[in-house]
Amino acid sequence: MTNPVVQKVNPMLTEERAKASFPVEELTYILDGGKFNTEKRREIEELVTKDPNFEHPPIQFMTREQQYSLAVKKALLVQQRLKELDMLDDPYASYFFRRIAMPREVSPIGLHWVMFVPTLMGQCSDEQRERWLQRALNYEIIGTYAQTEMGHGTFLRGIETTATYDPSSQQFVLHSPTTTSIKWWPGGLGKTCNYAVVVAQLHTQGRCHGVHMFLVQLRDESTHRSLPGVVCGDIGPKMGYHTIDNGFLQLNSVRIPRENMLMRNAEVQPDGTYIRRVSNEKLTYGTMVFVRSLIVSDAARGISEAATIAVRYACVRRQGEPSSPGAPEPRLLDYPVHQYRLLTCVANCYGLWFASEVLRDLYFTVQPDVLEGRTERLPETHALSAGLKAVGSNRGAACVEECRRCCGGFGFSEASGLPKIYNDINPACTYEGENTVMLLQTGRHLLKCVERARRGEQLAPSDAYIRSRPTPQPKLAGGPLTADLLLGWLRWRSLSMLLEVSGRFNSFIEQRQAWADAFQAVSRRLTRCAEAHCILYVGQAFLDSAKAAENPKICGVLTSLCRLFLLNEVVSGAGDVQLSRSDLARCQDAIDSLLTELRPNAVALVEAFDLPDRMLCSVIGRYDGQVYEAMLQWARQSPLNATDVHESYELYTRQFLAGRSLAKL
Ligand SMILES: CC/C=C\C/C=C\C/C=C\CCCC(=O)SCCNC(=O)CCNC(=O)[C@H](O)C(C)(C)COP(=O)(O)OP(=O)(O)OC[C@H]1O[C@@H](n2cnc3c(N)ncnc32)[C@H](O)[C@@H]1OP(=O)(O)O
Ligand SMILES: Cc1cc2nc3c(=O)[nH]c(=O)nc-3n(C[C@H](O)[C@H](O)[C@H](O)COP(=O)(O)OP(=O)(O)OC[C@H]3O[C@@H](n4cnc5c(N)ncnc54)[C@H](O)[C@@H]3O)c2cc1C
């Protein structure tokens, strides 16, 4: 990929940049977590940008096989470079190196570092870690996480693959007993990986002990040929994710040593005796909690990219009736409805960005305890990571799509970079737990919190408001619509919805319905409660970060953006609780005022994300704003333009025009 040659900057963008009311660079430091991080990230971006090995034509003009092959090369080259630079142990540096080297091109070895290594870290005994972790960290072996089967994704306990212990050989026999038990989807499984963590039902001494994890070698370490009993391959083209070989895996009585069961939480002894070391069996699901928390941040980053493209384009794209004869056509960003569409995406992005940081800190605070078997804060962490993963990826996909539509026809062209971002974000709504199912997990937790609050028990910090007494709806039509007031309203909404659903649930229980049936009866409403709870969390994180900004100008603009986020939630959630007409009208007026207030900072707010052209890969979102010439250059690269007359003309069109039958050709 080559960066577009930076030409003279389009004066319309220069004009917009000059309107910023705050120091953009300082906001970048906040987003990066400090000036040091910004500088480090830029150094890494510079390293990749200067490296000709990472240059190539746009991948959109390549076949899937070419895209995959190039992605393997780049992914491995990234690892080599990181090693040379002694950055392998630095997660921050590695993350940004990968991101800029493979912008929105999912890596064929992505599952290795996102799930395989974290699973070895979280699920291995100390001895097993010694044996495998260093090899995995050194990329001597490349692994994936094979859990989902053709027949079961969501309902993990229904997984059919078996791991049956044979004490005579002290081996497990891994087997796929049915077609539906074939592993389906794991990233990199098709062609790239030679090992997998396989999730299977553990059988020993004639009993099934439920799902456990096993390290299975799939391919020979020197020839890469699949081992006897292992049948694996690529699952074929998908809606996106063309650069990765999501795969299938059928295991035909494949034998692995006893020691290859991941034994941090449970063990099978040589004679086949099963011993569970920790009581909470959900600790096996730990890697998913980790990845779900990463997805929230990835969704925010996806919106930041799409919004940067769409806002810049809105500054340089003129379309519509001039305001007076001889005047230029208006810019897209001059339309209030366009401002609303883009600025609400920007507000969602900042909200999710800050919320993902709070969630990440929570995860890393709780994780050491969990590893030691202290699981008091695990339910809260699971509920938040599941719910925020769903809200984040839903919003991520919706906002990226809105930005794409904001760019009209060009948004549909791969040249805009927007389809690539959308296709990378959208699958996150499905993987790592389908979003509706994840919201139901959060909802289930919230229902239990209401019960515990009724019994007077303590709740975790993010659930603590559920203990407060129901109050009348805060009035929005009175004094100023401050961010604190709006956040208070969202807290009240979340609690009201939850109490209403919980009351309904309890009435089903009183009618002697089973817990599971009562849960199903309220499940639709419960997903809305889960969303409201997560939005409250996002709003709180956003406001806390805005208030923490030391520079009053940055504090001011972030607070205004936060108010836009909160007001938009109040207005769009007005159907969940009864909002009076006057309150609603007041909020709508406040949104209109905020759009006018924030419009001069639109470019500054997206450019604070500091995304280089190399990252955006967008003809219409270029820093220099020179869109049209670049669009023509892009189209010229299309392989269809390699010749003036395409071969299909001779083969078919000429025959057709001459009245010959095409059927025999
Ligand atoms: C920068 C990086 C960004 C992105 C990554 C990039 C590339 C990666 C690309 C793709 C990766 C995709 C990888 C995958 O998709 S791996 C497969 C993921 N699969 C799933 O997520 C399956 C979803 N299903 C489940 O998680 C569960 O089966 C379930 C839906 C939660 C239901 O489980 P079940 O056993 O039936 O549980 P319940 O009866 O509903 O609940 C029992 C009890 O357990 C608690 N619980 C459930 N899960 C967890 C957990 N993970 N941690 C802690 N506790 C958990 C649940 O709350 C309940 O508690 P109670 O107290 O109420 O009993
Ligand atoms: C791009 C991509 C990458 C992936 N990578 C991996 C990987 O590396 N490793 C791996 O193991 N897996 C991977 N997966 C699989 C992924 O985790 C599953 O697709 C996901 O968990 C959903 O499972 P499913 O496809 O079986 O859908 P299903 O569980 O069949 O769900 C279908 C629909 O039914 C709904 N539904 C299901 N159960 C319920 C319920 N109890 N209540 C209400 N509604 C319900 C869901 O909301 C969903 O809309 C990947 C998937 C994708 C798309």
Side-chain angles (χ1 to χ4, degrees):
M1 174 189 355
T2 38
N3 273 336
V5 180
V6 179
Q7 303 178 4
K8 190 172 160 300
V9 175
N10 188 320
M12 287 187 276
L13 261 180
T14 310
E15 199 183 299
E16 289 297 332
R17 287 184 177 122
K19 290 179 186 166
S21 72
F22 64 92
V24 179
E25 181 81 355
E26 272 185 49
L27 182 51
T28 303
Y29 298 157
I30 293 176
L31 290 165
D32 278 332
K35 184 177 176 188
F36 175 81
N37 284 347
T38 301
E39 285 170 353
K40 190 165 160 184
R41 175 177 58 73
R42 285 180 182 157
E43 271 171 35
I44 291 164
E45 287 170 354
E46 182 78 5
L47 279 174
V48 178
T49 305
K50 278 188 181 156
D51 189 339
N53 287 298
F54 290 110
E55 269 183 30
H56 53 80
I59 63 163
Q60 290 90 341
F61 293 127
M62 296 178 189
T63 64
R64 177 158 179 251
E65 287 71 19
Q66 288 168 329
Q67 289 192 38
Y68 166 69
S69 199
L70 178 65
V72 172
K73 179 188 164 193
K74 285 205 293 180
L76 299 177
L77 188 59
V78 165
Q79 289 314 128
Q80 284 183 346
R81 289 281 185 267
L82 286 171
K83 196 170 181 185
E84 287 157 17
L85 296 161
D86 203 17
M87 286 181 178
L88 272 177
D89 292 339
D90 181 344
Y92 185 85
S94 313
Y95 172 77
F96 282 104
F97 203 106
R98 288 186 185 113
R99 201 168 104 94
I100 188 80
M102 304 186 71
R104 290 287 158 205
E105 292 156 24
V106 61
S107 163
I109 60 168
L111 259 290
H112 178 85
W113 50 269
V114 172
M115 294 199 82
F116 183 69
V117 168
T119 303
L120 295 184
M121 284 176 166
Q123 305 293 328
C124 282
S125 64
D126 293 346
E127 191 197 352
Q128 289 177 321
R129 273 190 184 204
E130 284 277 307
R131 193 149 14 107
W132 297 319
L133 190 57
Q134 207 49 47
R135 291 200 78 205
L137 289 170
N138 291 343
Y139 285 80
E140 289 162 32
I141 58 174
I142 301 177
T144 185
Y145 182 84
Q147 179 174 290
T148 308
E149 298 175 353
M150 264 199 193
H152 289 97
T154 296
F155 184 52
L156 238 161
R157 281 178 289 143
I159 272 173
E160 294 176 82
T161 303
T162 51
T164 309
Y165 186 63
D166 170 13
S168 66
S169 60
Q170 299 198 9
Q171 289 174 325
F172 284 101
V173 183
L174 272 286
H175 190 59
S176 315
T178 57
T179 304
T180 47
S181 71
I182 294 172
K183 296 290 175 191
W184 202 267
W185 277 117
L189 172 65
K191 297 285 154 193
T192 316
C193 295
N194 53 8
Y195 279 78
V197 165
V198 172
V199 179
Q201 302 284 358
L202 164 62
H203 293 261
T204 181
Q205 296 182 332
R207 274 193 62 198
C208 177
H209 294 274
V211 289
H212 287 71
M213 293 179 179
F214 303 85
L215 184 69
V216 182
Q217 182 174 354
L218 305 176
R219 293 175 177 275
D220 184 278
E221 283 190 32
S222 48
T223 64
H224 204 59
R225 286 185 185 281
S226 41
L227 294 178
V230 171
V231 181
C232 60
D234 173 69
I235 62 168
K238 300 147 293 206
M239 185 173 159
Y241 269 41
H242 307 309
T243 50
I244 188 172
D245 50 323
N246 293 91
F248 64 83
L249 170 68
Q250 185 173 25
L251 294 163
N252 295 314
S253 299
V254 172
R255 286 180 169 263
I256 58 167
R258 180 187 70 90
E259 294 80 9
N260 279 30
M261 170 180 158
L262 307 195
M263 297 212 202
R264 182 166 202 91
N265 302 322
E267 180 184 346
V268 171
Q269 293 188 324
D271 68 350
T273 306
Y274 177 80
I275 297 174
R276 171 159 283 287
R277 270 195 267 278
V278 290
S279 56
N280 191 333
E281 59 188 31
K282 299 301 170 198
L283 289 181
T284 318
Y285 299 173
T287 311
M288 290 186 281
V289 176
F290 168 66
V291 181
R292 284 169 194 154
S293 67
L294 293 185
I295 289 171
V296 189
S297 142
D298 197 54
R301 289 187 184 277
I303 308 175
S304 75
E305 292 156 24
T308 303
I309 295 168
V311 168
R312 281 185 183 157
Y313 181 64
C315 296
V316 301
R317 176 71 168 178
R318 292 189 180 279
Q319 193 79 202
E321 184 81 29
S323 54
S324 57
E329 292 180 43
R331 298 165 207 200
L332 298 184
L333 198 57
D334 291 331
Y335 293 111
V337 67
H338 209 77
Q339 294 162 11
Y340 171 74
R341 294 169 73 191
L342 290 178
L343 285 167
T344 48
C345 290
V346 176
N348 267 292
C349 180
Y350 273 84
L352 289 171
W353 190 292
F354 294 130
S356 74
E357 288 176 345
V358 183
L359 180 64
R360 183 198 54 205
D361 291 349
L362 173 69
Y363 177 83
F364 285 111
T365 307
V366 170
Q367 184 60 6
D369 282 348
V370 169
L371 277 178
E372 298 301 322
R374 291 187 298 276
T375 54
E376 294 78 21
R377 289 197 73 183
L378 184 61
E380 179 202 21
T381 314
H382 163 55
L384 277 173
S385 66
L388 283 165
K389 177 267 180 191
V391 167
S393 55
N394 277 345
R395 292 281 164 112
C399 289
V400 172
E401 172 64 1
E402 189 63 17
C403 290
R404 189 190 70 72
R405 293 187 197 185
C406 278
C407 297
F410 284 166
F412 192 67
S413 166
E414 291 267 19
S416 68
L418 291 162
K420 193 161 161 241
I421 302 170
Y422 182 76
N423 284 334
D424 196 46
I425 292 285
N426 190 29
C429 300
T430 304
Y431 65 59
E432 218 51 73
E434 204 280 332
N435 278 355
T436 299
V437 175
M438 291 296 98
L439 289 173
L440 287 172
Q441 283 292 306
T442 311
R444 175 187 167 110
H445 169 78
L446 294 175
L447 268 187
K448 293 194 166 185
C449 283
V450 177
E451 275 314 305
R452 290 178 46 211
R454 281 206 186 108
R455 292 198 297 266
E457 291 174 25
Q458 286 298 316
L459 297 180
S462 62
D463 302 319
Y465 73 97
I466 298 172
R467 279 173 58 98
S468 47
R469 289 179 182 282
T471 54
Q473 180 173 170
K475 282 229 79 54
L476 299 178
L481 281 173
T482 61
D484 283 302
L485 175 70
L486 294 164
L487 196 65
W489 189 91
L490 289 183
R491 194 174 298 113
W492 169 85
R493 173 184 75 159
S494 186
L495 183 59
S496 306
M497 288 168 69
L498 191 53
L499 292 179
E500 205 267 325
V501 173
S502 152
R504 199 174 275 272
F505 173 81
N506 286 335
S507 70
F508 289 129
I509 296 288
E510 279 156 22
Q511 291 161 30
R512 300 193 176 282
Q513 279 206 21
W515 199 96
D517 293 336
F519 182 82
Q520 291 302 329
V522 297
S523 59
R524 186 175 60 82
R525 291 177 168 89
L526 207 48
T527 57
R528 289 293 297 157
C529 293
E531 278 172 321
H533 175 77
C534 291
I535 288 298
L536 176 62
Y537 190 86
V538 174
Q540 184 73 64
F542 197 164
L543 187 55
D544 289 347
S545 298
K547 284 181 178 170
E550 282 168 16
N551 184 314
K553 290 180 177 167
I554 294 183
C555 177
V557 75
L558 285 183
T559 307
S560 296
L561 195 65
C562 179
R563 287 182 62 230
L564 179 64
F565 173 81
L566 298 169
L567 282 161
N568 201 40
E569 293 305 325
V570 173
V571 168
S572 53
D576 289 321
V577 285
Q578 281 194 333
L579 191 64
S580 73
R581 281 175 78 98
S582 57
D583 279 1
L584 189 58
R586 185 90 203 293
C587 291
Q588 296 283 20
D589 289 347
I591 288 177
D592 288 339
S593 308
L594 276 170
L595 296 177
T596 311
E597 181 193 323
L598 285 165
R599 186 232 184 274
N601 279 320
V603 170
L605 280 166
V606 293
E607 293 200 337
F609 295 119
D610 194 26
L611 294 161
D613 279 349
R614 200 201 147 81
M615 177 76 220
L616 294 178
C617 305
S618 172
V619 167
I620 63 172
R622 302 156 55 103
Y623 179 84
D624 65 16
Q626 301 292 359
V627 167
Y628 298 107
E629 193 55 41
M631 189 56 98
L632 191 58
Q633 279 176 25
W634 159 276
R636 288 207 171 101
Q637 298 176 72
S638 169
L640 280 181
N641 294 331
T643 54
D644 182 28
V645 178
H646 191 250
E647 62 179 18
S648 62
Y649 177 80
E650 291 299 335
L651 285 170
Y652 310 118
T653 317
R654 187 191 284 283
Q655 319 299 330
F656 174 79
L657 293 174
R660 295 189 197 107
S661 166
L662 300 184
K664 284 179 238 129
L665 294 175

